[in-house]
Each structure stands twice: as structure tokens, then as C-alpha cells.
Amino acid sequence: MARGCLQGVKYLMFAFNLLFWLGGCGILGVGIWLAATQGNFATLSSSFPSLSAANLLIVTGTFVMAIGFVGCIGAIKENKCLLLTFFVLLLLVFLLEASLAILFFAYTDKKTLQAHLGGSLSQPWNRPFLQGAWFFYWRTNALRNQDPGPLGWQHGAVWVVTGVRRHSPEGLCARPSPSIDRYAQRDLKKGLHLYGTPGNVGLTNAWSIIQTDFRCCGVSNYTDWFEVYNATRVPDSCCLEFSDSCGLHAPGTWWKAPCYETVKVWLQENLLAVGVFGLCTALVQILGLTFAMTMYCQVVKADTYCA
């Protein structure tokens, strides 16, 4: 009975890992094809030129193939070492994906909170709560004959409640530090200067596809391209109706929407699809972990029984 259960789990795990390995082959093939025909496809960042869709697919496909291969051989040979190696590798991938998901949602919640706080703190200074908080801080320090500074407990209380950086009324309305969005837009704008240059066909194709499909132009505005060309012109992919040298025409013939915000809104609207895909991926990985550990335990029991 135990031997029959082991054989069933063995073939199920082999089939699972065979599909896993074939999926890795497909991902690797697409990555190699993109690298060979499109250059560094979808390389939009000038700071991370190697972070392209082609390179990511190649690395991901190779890693998936390796995990699937280890799982297949471990299942066929009923090798405890390979089964345990497969389990550990798949568990590390699962934990990494879970950590990234947690960081993503934490960052999203932080931005939402900052938006609400920023909106409330940016109101005029005559709000009673802000007046009272600032008066309390100034008055208690005056009574203690202390210079208001970052070491005082009153300053610390007002710092925590209002998020100020110094002891001034203007500090209560100070804007938060530059967000990831600003850094990303700045880096993307640097990448625009590589558009159409030799050796950057991937970046050029990526920007052309994004601007055509999303009907947008530039990172934050179509004027981003003016700095690239040192002239009042944009790429032809920005045109409402594509034609040769249409980027030299009047701005009325170009898309006006900023690409960064347009793509960001599109991603937010498709978070459900991304969530469903991530959930399915997690379920498949949990299934693989279950198969691996079940078979490992069965092999250990069989070895103990035979001994």
C-alpha cells in the first residue's frame, strides 16, 4: 500500500515538474528571441541598462528550468537529496515572492496614508488643531526656558503627530520627501536621451510601443522630448495619426497624456488580474512543495521499512 502511494506521488510530481521545466524552456526561448531580434527590449532605465525584459526572461527561464530539472530527476530516482534541494529552492522562491508582495502593499498603504495626511496638513495655518499644537509646543518650551529643538519631548510629540521636520509653523505644512515616483520619472527622463542612438534599439522600440499603445507622449509631458532633440519636436510614435516626420508638426497633432501616469493608472486598474495571476502562481508553488515533501517523507519511510 505504501509502495503504491509512493508510486502515485512519484508520477504526479514528475508530471508537475515536467510542466514546470517546459514552462522554463518557453520563458528562456522568448527571452533569447527578444535579445537576438530586439536588443535589450524594454530597457527604459538608463541607470539599470541590464534590467531589460529580455534579460529578466532569460534569468527567470533558466532558474525555472533548473528547479524543474532537479524536481524531475529527484522524483524519478526517488533521491532524498534532490527532493530536499527542490523543496528548499521552491520555498526560497515562494518566500521571496511573498516578501515582494508585502513590500508592495506596504508601500501602497504608506502612499495612501501620506496622501491623506498631506492633504490635511496642507490646509491654511488657521486650523484650530494646528494652532493649538504649535502653541502648546512653543509655550511649554518657553516655560522651561529651553530652546525648541529636536531633543525636547514636546518637539518629539509634535514631530510624531504632524510629521514636521523643524520647529516652525511652515514645518507643519512641509511636503514629504521625494517619493519613488519622482526618482523613477527622473531616471526615465534620463533614458529618453538614449532614444534612437546606436546600440539602444531595445529602449527605442519600447518607448515607441508604449507611446503608440497607451496614446501618451513623454514621461510627464510631451515637452520632455524637447530637451532630447533641443527642438520643438517629438518622436513619430507620439502623433495622433502616424506618418513620417509627423513629430515635427504642431503640438495639436500629438498625444498629450503623460506616459508615466497613464501606465501607472493602467496597472492600478489591472491589479485584480495581477493578483489572480500571483495567487495561481502561489497555489502551484504550494502544490509543488506539498508533492516534494510528501514524496520525501514516503522515501524516508520506505528506506526505513526496507532497512
Side-chain angles (χ1 to χ4, degrees):
M1 180 67 181
R3 187 64 187 173
C5 180
L6 177 60
Q7 290 296 319
V9 175
K10 171 182 176 178
Y11 291 118
L12 279 175
M13 185 172 175
F14 176 78
F16 171 83
N17 283 284
L18 180 61
L19 293 175
F20 208 66
W21 182 80
L22 291 174
C25 290
I27 295 173
L28 178 62
V30 172
I32 294 174
W33 175 77
L34 284 176
T37 60
Q38 302 293 328
N40 292 325
F41 183 77
T43 305
L44 300 178
S45 173
S46 60
S47 300
F48 304 98
S50 298
L51 193 63
S52 63
N55 291 341
L56 289 176
L57 288 174
I58 290 173
V59 172
T60 303
T62 303
F63 193 66
V64 171
M65 281 181 62
I67 293 178
F69 179 78
V70 171
C72 283
I73 301 300
I76 289 297
K77 298 293 185 180
E78 299 180 11
N79 188 290
K80 292 184 292 185
C81 181
L82 290 178
L83 289 172
L84 192 60
T85 301
F86 171 79
F87 179 85
V88 171
L89 289 175
L90 196 58
L91 181 62
L92 288 175
V93 173
F94 180 78
L95 293 177
L96 177 62
E97 293 173 350
S99 301
L100 291 176
I102 292 172
L103 288 175
F104 172 77
F105 285 111
Y107 170 71
T108 304
D109 292 341
K110 182 180 178 182
K111 286 194 67 179
T112 304
L113 180 62
Q114 283 181 346
H116 287 300
L117 289 177
S120 63
L121 294 178
S122 61
Q123 299 299 321
W125 177 242
N126 58 4
R127 292 180 64 104
F129 169 75
L130 297 181
Q131 280 185 342
W134 176 247
F135 177 77
F136 167 76
Y137 165 66
W138 172 83
R139 182 61 178 169
T140 49
N141 276 282
L143 290 175
R144 288 170 174 261
N145 195 24
Q146 295 177 350
D147 176 49
L151 298 179
W153 68 269
Q154 298 90 353
H155 181 69
V158 179
W159 187 305
V160 172
V161 173
T162 61
V164 298
R165 77 176 82 165
R166 290 296 295 170
H167 54 280
S168 63
E170 291 79 7
L172 291 172
C173 302
R175 291 187 176 183
S177 58
S179 64
I180 295 177
D181 285 338
R182 272 188 214 174
Y183 291 120
Q185 291 184 46
R186 189 182 306 166
D187 191 59
L188 289 172
K189 288 179 180 179
K190 290 180 182 178
L192 292 181
H193 292 271
L194 302 177
Y195 183 89
T197 57
N200 290 291
V201 62
L203 182 143
T204 303
N205 291 339
W207 269 113
S208 297
I209 291 172
I210 289 174
Q211 293 184 145
T212 301
D213 292 350
F214 287 93
R215 300 181 177 183
C216 59
C217 190
V219 178
S220 57
N221 200 328
Y222 64 87
T223 56
D224 294 337
W225 291 107
F226 295 175
E227 299 178 7
V228 177
Y229 291 109
N230 291 321
T232 307
R233 64 164 299 184
V234 297
D236 294 342
S237 56
C238 282
C239 298
L240 300 174
E241 295 184 5
F242 179 82
S243 62
D244 291 336
S245 301
C246 63
L248 295 171
H249 299 167
T253 62
W254 307 332
W255 300 115
K256 300 297 190 300
C259 287
Y260 186 86
E261 291 298 327
T262 302
V263 174
K264 186 177 176 181
V265 169
W266 180 83
L267 289 174
Q268 291 173 346
E269 291 175 349
N270 290 273
L271 276 181
L272 179 60
V274 175
V276 171
F277 176 78
L279 182 61
C280 292
T281 303
L283 290 176
V284 170
Q285 290 173 343
I286 292 173
L287 187 63
L289 291 171
T290 304
F291 280 151
M293 185 51 62
T294 302
M295 188 170 181
Y296 176 81
C297 293
Q298 291 292 333
V299 171
V300 170
K301 287 182 179 179
D303 290 346
T304 305
Y305 179 76
C306 293

